[in-house]
């Protein structure tokens, strides 16, 4: 069997670089959104009224109990149909909303990771020494002030390494968005491989590309873990 690594690399590398821009865009926006969603879910579960806690609990179980790919596909294909149907009940017009694949992908990944990271933050909040809450209340702070000024910042700081791990997973999970035709690395590679028939070369190169993209993030996560351990011991 003859391989064509040089020819494949020459043609595929520029395509992967373009796909990298899409991956970074989705990763950055999704990370910001899922951190916001996770924080709201965690605070709602810890400090919200009982009905809200139950709703958040059910929502988290549904999201964490279904694959991210299913959620992304559902948002892209099903949600527009449901929206159009509900709208037709009030307006009499059945029209699909214009949802781009990238927007659907960002929404799906943000919600999925938000549910998982929300549990991480909630657990971190609960594990903060209750004596700090008592000390804050003794100093005249309200429960809300104690939560946002004392407990929540510490919980977020303690969870930084975990956030880094989820960011690393998010970068790799952008590959599932090829199912809804987002022009990311895997979809671009599949299109090139189907035209050039360089199947082994193409998929090997994209795997190496993901590896080179993930290694710096992995080193950053380990660095943050060491820094967090040092801060805890001091």
């Amino acid at each position: 069997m003859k391989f064509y690594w040089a020819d494949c690399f020459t043609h595929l590398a520029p395509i992967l670089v373009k796909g990298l821009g899409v991956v970074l865009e989705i990763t950055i926006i999704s990370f910001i959104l899922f951190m916001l969603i996770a924080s709201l879910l965690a605070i709602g579960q810890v400090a919200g009224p009982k009905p809200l806690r139950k709703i958040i609990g059910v929502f988290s179980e549904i999201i964490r109990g279904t694959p991210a790919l299913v959620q992304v596909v559902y948002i892209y294909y099903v949600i527009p149909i449901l929206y159009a149907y509900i709208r037709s009940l009030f307006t009499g017009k059945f029209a699909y909303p214009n949802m781009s694949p990238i927007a659907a992908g960002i929404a799906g990944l943000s919600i999925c990771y938000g549910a998982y990271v929300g549990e991480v933050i909630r657990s971190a909040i609960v594990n903060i020494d209750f004596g700090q809450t008592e000390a804050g209340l003794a100093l005249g702070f309200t429960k809300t002030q104690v939560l946002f000024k004392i407990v929540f910042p510490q919980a977020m700081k303690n969870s930084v390494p975990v956030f880094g791990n989820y960011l690393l997973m998010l970068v790799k999970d952008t590959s599932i968005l090829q199912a809804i035709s987002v022009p990311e690395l895997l979809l671009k590679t599949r299109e090139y491989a189907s035209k050039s028939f360089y199947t082994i070369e193409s998929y090997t190169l994209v795997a190496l590309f993901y590896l080179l993209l993930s290694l710096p993030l992995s080193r950053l996560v380990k660095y943050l873990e060491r820094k967090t351990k040092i801060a805890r011991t001091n």
Side-chain angles (χ1 to χ4, degrees):
M1 182 181 292
K2 189 174 181 180
F3 296 101
Y4 301 89
W5 296 105
D7 188 39
C8 180
F9 180 81
T10 301
H11 292 89
L12 184 58
I15 297 174
L16 292 180
V17 170
K18 291 182 180 179
L20 177 61
V22 176
V23 169
L24 292 177
E25 176 189 357
I26 293 172
T27 300
I28 293 171
I29 298 175
S30 297
F31 180 77
I32 294 172
L33 290 177
F34 87 61
M35 286 299 299
L36 177 61
I37 293 171
S39 299
L40 293 175
L41 292 178
I43 292 171
Q45 282 189 303
V46 172
K50 189 174 181 179
L52 179 61
R53 295 201 300 269
K54 288 186 176 181
I55 292 172
I56 293 175
V58 172
F59 172 79
S60 297
E61 287 296 326
I62 292 173
I63 297 301
R64 290 186 292 120
T66 53
L69 177 58
V70 174
Q71 295 169 24
V72 168
V73 171
Y74 193 90
I75 289 173
Y76 185 64
Y77 290 108
V78 179
I79 294 299
I81 297 175
L82 293 176
Y83 173 83
Y85 176 74
I86 294 173
R87 182 183 177 186
S88 68
L89 296 177
F90 296 95
T91 64
K93 296 180 180 180
F94 193 88
Y96 291 101
N98 185 20
M99 179 182 292
S100 71
I102 291 179
I106 290 173
L109 292 175
S110 300
I111 293 171
C112 179
Y113 276 81
Y116 281 100
V117 179
E119 283 298 306
V120 172
I121 298 175
R122 183 197 64 79
S123 178
I125 291 174
V126 172
N127 287 326
I128 296 295
D129 185 6
F130 187 70
Q132 297 193 37
T133 299
E134 292 179 327
L137 294 174
L139 291 172
F141 289 109
T142 64
K143 290 184 178 180
T144 302
Q145 289 175 325
V146 170
L147 175 62
F148 285 100
K149 292 186 177 182
I150 300 175
V151 177
F152 185 71
Q154 291 186 70
M156 296 295 284
K157 183 179 179 180
N158 294 340
S159 303
V160 165
V162 182
F163 299 155
N165 286 322
Y166 275 103
L167 175 60
L168 185 60
M169 293 168 57
L170 178 63
V171 171
K172 293 180 285 187
D173 275 353
T174 56
S175 60
I176 69 175
L177 302 186
Q178 56 90 23
I180 57 173
S181 302
V182 172
E184 45 72 57
L185 298 176
L186 186 58
L187 179 62
K188 289 293 186 182
T189 301
R190 188 177 66 180
E191 291 175 348
Y192 176 78
S194 65
K195 294 176 182 178
S196 65
F197 298 103
Y198 296 159
T199 305
I200 296 176
E201 297 90 338
S202 298
Y203 287 109
T204 302
L205 285 175
V206 75
L208 291 173
F209 204 85
Y210 270 113
L211 182 61
L212 292 174
L213 185 61
S214 301
L215 281 177
L217 286 174
S218 178
R219 294 291 180 270
L220 176 61
V221 170
K222 290 181 179 180
Y223 172 77
L224 292 174
E225 287 178 351
R226 290 196 300 269
K227 282 291 186 179
T228 303
K229 287 181 181 179
I230 292 173
R232 286 176 181 173
T233 56
N234 290 338

